Amino acid sequence: MTSAPGSPPAGRARLADVAALAGVSVGTASKALNGGGRMRPETRQRVLDAVAELGFRPNQHAQSLHSGRSWTVGLMTTDGIGRFSTPVLLGAEDALGAGKISVLLCDTRGDAIREQHHLRNLMDRRVDGIIVTGRRTDPRPPLPGVDSIPVVYALSPSTDPADTSVVSDDHGGAQLAVDHLLATGRTRIAHVTGPEHHQAARDRARFAVEQLRGASLEPATGRVHFGEWSEAWGRRAADAVLRTAPDTDAFFCGNDQIARGVTDTLRERGVSVPGDVAVVGYDNWDTMALACRPPLTTIDMNLAEIGRIAALRLLQAIDSEPEPGVHTVPCRLVVRESS
């Protein structure tokens, strides 16, 4: 059975069908779809209208041969199921998907040999670029042997200043937390955080102390309490702080797990939160922050936005020129009942 004149042909539409319906040559139709060539706007619009009417889908392989691009991007993570890297990856995929770019996800599990294996596979597939992320904010060595394609590092910056990295603004995050506590009238603020060898713990502690000193204050116990990223540490630290400085009226914690441990200890001691002591966490991990009693005021690192910006930086590097250096994404304060 043949189609009526002017109607879409049966089966999957071809570029020749688009050209015929638009009344142009196949070459003109191809240029209109690729955004190239000089033609009248109404001609290009006729081609686009024909594409919509026929439900035409371009041949990706043919497009790749024509443009020299694969229209694929590698997303490489050291922690594919992690609560930090997953939002970053989702944000990146959203931005890339809007540009009709396919994503190849590789989980290295923090293994250098596995990373090299995935990197070789991505290079063999001729990806247009790679986004690298991880579970921590500590700088990492750049990927070796990728000079031929753009790479952007998200959350975990590259140690090479010539690379493009997109990270969370821990300086701004610590400032938001301390300023919020000061605005609620707190002046005896303790800072309890994770291991001192972690960049995030060191940075948040340093910026918190700087902000307190800017208000002519010191941490409640006179020092920062480094430990573990765990509720158990939060409980132990809260006991230690209250023994040393029983007049403490606020805790700024390096993550939400620590903050939940702190609130557990305060509740067990009969201390009202936030009536007597306010608590602010970091990360805005819903599982922790919303289950905390009371629900936790915390700093959101905007992880999805980090991924989105990283993807946009990568697309820019693919299409034109990279912007080297470290680019920061602002945090935001999420106020709940603990402060």
Side-chain angles (χ1 to χ4, degrees), residues 245-296:
D247 57 347
T248 296
D249 59 12
F251 283 81
F252 169 35
C253 303
N255 79 348
D256 292 341
Q257 289 169 278
I258 294 171
R260 186 171 174 181
V262 167
T263 59
D264 284 349
T265 292
L266 294 173
R267 187 174 61 254
E268 289 164 5
R269 284 171 165 252
V271 177
S272 170
V273 178
D276 298 321
V277 177
V279 180
V280 174
Y282 210 105
D283 296 338
N284 196 27
W285 184 21
D286 284 355
T287 303
M288 282 288 155
L290 297 180
C292 189
R293 290 185 292 168
L296 189 63

Side-chain angles (χ1 to χ4, degrees), residues 139 153 155 157-168 313 323-329:
Y153 299 83
L155 188 63
S158 169
T159 53
D160 188 343
D163 288 332
T164 302
S165 300
V166 182
V167 302
S168 180
R313 294 289 184 189
E323 279 196 41
V326 177
H327 307 272
T328 57
V329 173

